[in-house]
Amino acid sequence: MAVPKKKTSKSKRNQRHAVWKAKAATAAQRALSIGKSVLSGRAQGFVYPVDDSDSEA
């Protein structure tokens, strides 16, 4: 079974954690931006399926 040979330093651990948090923050910001543009009706490059239940019924 694979076992790490040396202890990982606190700075290396913190660096990995910071990268992980930054990716999550970027994804959340992008999702919020897309959501705002869809709700305002100004979405340019985003395809949003509109439920046309009236025309199908």
Side-chain angles (χ1 to χ4, degrees):
M1 200 166 155
V3 178
K5 301 295 183 217
K6 295 190 177 195
K7 182 178 177 181
T8 305
S9 67
K10 289 179 182 177
S11 63
K12 195 59 99 169
R13 181 197 64 196
N14 292 343
Q15 185 180 16
R16 269 201 318 273
H17 185 74
V19 167
W20 184 80
K21 293 283 264 189
K23 284 183 182 179
T26 304
Q29 182 66 35
R30 188 169 291 138
L32 189 64
S33 176
I34 289 173
K36 283 182 179 178
S37 66
V38 166
L39 287 176
S40 69
R42 294 174 38 161
Q44 293 289 326
F46 183 74
V47 178
Y48 182 71
V50 178
D51 187 22
D52 292 332
S53 58
D54 296 336
S55 62
E56 293 176 8

